[in-house]
Amino acid sequence: MRILPVGEHALLVELPTGDDALALHAELLRRQAAGTLEPVADIVPAARTVLLDGVGDPAGLAARLPTWPVPPPEADAGESVEIPVRYDGPDLADVAAHWGVAPGEVARIHAGAAFRVAFCGFAPGFGYLTGLAGRYAVPRRASSRTRVPTGSVALAGPYTGVYPRSSPGGWQLIGTTDAVLWDPGRTPAALLAPGTRVRFTDMDMDTDTDTAPSPRERAS
Amino acid sequence: MSDRALAVVRAGALTTVQDLGRPGLAHLGVPRSGALDLPAHLLANRLVGNAPGAATLESTLSGCAVRARHPVTAAVTGAPCAVTVDGAPAPWGAATRVPAGAVLALGPAARGVRSYLALAGGVAVAPVLGSRATDLLSGLGPAPLADGDVLPLGEPGAPPAPADAVPQPAPPAELVLRMRLGPRDDWFTPAALDALATARYRVSPAANRIGLRTEGPPLARARQDELPSEGMVLGAVQVPPDGRPVVFLADHPTTGGYPVAGVVPEADLAAAAQAVPGTPLRFVPLRSAARRAAR
């Protein structure tokens, strides 16, 4: 763990891996909920870091933080969400070629993985989800699309993301969902907040459409 | 809609609704947004008796004009500009009574970039995630004003405390930004960081609410690998591949993958918000004690 000062009121905690960042983020939220974390305006996890912004005593927190025991994330901790997907994206064949599998296999592999939202960025409610094995990482597209439709399920690097609204984008599109990723009138506004566990389900494999899972279920 | 409302007669180049923004939602990818020249926004509200969080209008370079449907107290701060009520000169930086049906106009900024128009009761468009601010990066909040828009106003609170003379800093002839080095100053060559203290930059015409883009000598990097995305703070001096520093302002992205060489303290950002394109710009790098010891 390396703690870097950021301006006068923030700390950037750098960790060896993304999983370590997830674990520290979960520990920070636990301490915040328990009232044992000093006031912090923003806790922003990212690929291998957690940013603490709006900290009253950055030097004090930087001294205490390395002494905390941080348990690894529990597999079944946190909110759980299922996202039904039609695996019909325009880059499905390219992704299958990168993976060295038949196009029909992409859905099975993707819907078989257990994901977690590592962090948000790019747009409100755009989550960067980890969970695919390292061998399934794919490059961004050589050229960006000027318009990626709302609900596009996409891959880039080790991450899966779902576009909360139409925007330009360079990720590989493998499918679409009708799930509402972002609704400012809802609490929480983001379906995919950091730490949320996510399963994608293949709608074409869903034989009993009347009992499609609700988009948000509490973890038992 | 109540009859407390405002019609936009001339929206100008870019006029947005601003307040204190949406801090605390960066983990969901929501920019903080809010008034770029915060002291000017706060002062305008104080002059008309509003709470600090009441929404004001932030105009850009070319001013704007509005017609009130009812008598309202207004005040203009920030970039100095000619203020008129139905064509008659009215004070800048002081409360003005605008009669029902009269047009309150802000002329082009004489100096600086952004003028703030506060109206008693505040602009009362529907808040999004607790704020009425227009966020130009993510599109949250009301769209920039267009001619003919009608904006609701809130009920005025207590009459404003009298204020005879209010000090307002003039927009800078030269923009001097202090910058606390880190978190990624080690991604740049020591020579580049030393040169940063003496290099002359200028404010780029591409500067906007997201970031103050600069023109000047590129900052040479000590390492060329890619930085994994990490959280970004207000005032972060991010250096994209072209090497020209960008100072992150209110609508900045919440995460980014280019290294941040240093962070400009919030107190210096009001001046940055008022620096017109072409303004000479100097960075004053500050090394923290811990950093000095480590080098």
Side-chain angles (χ1 to χ4, degrees):
Chain A
M1 177 186 291
R2 203 160 72 114
I3 302 179
L4 304 168
V6 180
E8 293 163 337
H9 309 294
L11 297 172
L12 187 70
V13 188
E14 191 174 47
L15 299 136
T17 69
D19 283 345
D20 294 324
L22 265 171
L24 176 64
H25 177 245
E27 177 64 21
L28 285 160
L29 294 191
R30 265 194 298 278
R31 285 175 181 258
Q32 197 174 45
T36 59
L37 180 68
E38 66 174 274
V40 171
D42 277 295
I43 301 175
V44 188
R48 286 213 296 269
T49 56
V50 179
L51 172 72
L52 299 161
D53 195 5
V55 183
D57 174 20
L61 184 57
R64 285 190 298 278
L65 215 141
T67 67
W68 297 353
V70 177
E74 290 168 43
D76 57 354
E79 292 273 328
S80 167
V81 167
E82 281 199 11
I83 296 181
V85 178
R86 284 179 302 277
Y87 284 94
D88 60 358
D91 300 326
L92 202 66
D94 285 352
V95 168
H98 276 294
W99 288 3
V101 303
E105 282 291 280
V106 172
R108 191 186 59 77
I109 293 166
H110 194 256
F115 291 89
R116 199 183 278 274
V117 182
F119 60 99
C120 288
F122 174 61
F126 188 99
Y128 290 72
L129 281 57
T130 52
L132 278 180
R135 63 182 178 280
Y136 295 127
V138 294
R140 284 162 196 260
R141 282 169 46 82
S143 64
S144 243
R145 289 186 171 87
T146 53
R147 186 180 173 281
V148 173
T150 303
S152 294
V153 179
L155 307 180
Y159 300 112
T160 289
V162 188
Y163 284 76
R165 57 164 192 203
S166 171
S167 72
W171 290 35
Q172 311 267 4
L173 310 185
I174 60 168
T176 51
T177 180
D178 297 328
V180 177
L181 274 293
W182 175 253
D183 178 358
R186 182 177 67 188
T187 304
L191 183 64
L192 303 181
T196 304
R197 291 180 294 132
V198 182
R199 285 267 183 191
F200 295 94
T201 59
D202 184 352
M203 288 171 79
D204 293 331
M205 296 296 285
D206 193 0
T207 49
D208 187 0
T209 52
D210 290 341
T211 58
S214 67
R216 179 171 280 274
E217 302 173 321
R218 278 235 157 236
S220 52
Chain B
M1 188 181 293
S2 93
D3 61 344
R4 289 192 59 81
L6 204 65
V8 177
V9 176
R10 185 176 67 82
L14 174 67
T15 302
T16 60
V17 178
Q18 293 300 337
D19 57 15
L20 304 180
R22 303 178 181 84
L25 297 171
H27 62 290
L28 299 181
V30 176
R32 91 169 41 211
S33 191
L36 235 52
D37 184 343
L38 189 60
H41 162 88
L42 296 174
L43 176 60
N45 271 334
R46 188 158 69 80
L47 289 171
V48 300
N50 284 347
T56 60
L57 298 181
E58 178 185 281
S59 69
T60 313
L61 288 171
S62 64
C64 65
V66 296
R67 186 193 305 273
R69 293 184 173 174
H70 54 86
V72 64
T73 302
V76 180
T77 63
C81 61
V83 180
T84 58
V85 175
D86 272 347
W92 172 89
T96 302
R97 192 77 180 151
V98 183
V103 172
L104 171 68
L106 283 61
R111 299 187 306 281
V113 179
R114 295 173 172 94
S115 301
Y116 291 82
L117 168 58
L119 300 132
V123 177
V125 296
V128 177
L129 296 171
S131 165
R132 300 180 165 93
T134 298
D135 169 356
L136 293 179
L137 180 75
S138 72
L140 295 176
L145 300 196
D147 293 356
D149 281 357
V150 174
L151 302 172
L153 292 182
E155 292 295 331
D164 295 336
V166 285
Q168 301 198 37
E174 182 193 37
L175 181 60
V176 178
L177 298 178
R178 292 169 295 163
M179 166 180 159
R180 192 167 295 281
L181 289 176
R184 300 296 179 190
D185 48 325
D186 57 349
W187 280 57
F188 302 91
T189 64
L193 291 176
D194 289 343
L196 186 64
T198 52
R200 291 293 179 263
Y201 287 89
R202 270 178 324 182
V203 175
S204 158
N208 58 23
R209 285 187 42 86
I210 297 164
L212 184 88
R213 290 176 187 280
T214 65
E215 292 172 344
L219 213 55
R221 269 172 60 162
R223 48 190 291 188
Q224 301 303 326
D225 44 327
E226 213 168 293
L227 180 72
S229 274
E230 59 190 30
M232 292 285 143
V233 301
L234 183 66
V237 181
Q238 199 194 49
V239 184
D242 71 6
R244 265 107 192 165
V246 179
V247 183
F248 275 174
L249 301 180
D251 288 357
H252 72 86
T254 56
T255 59
Y258 299 131
V260 169
V263 178
V264 174
E266 211 170 320
D268 291 5
L269 295 179
Q274 297 294 1
V276 297
T279 302
L281 161 62
R282 213 151 44 84
F283 289 104
V284 180
L286 312 168
R287 217 176 283 277
S288 72
R291 288 259 148 174
R292 270 196 304 274
R295 278 173 76 94

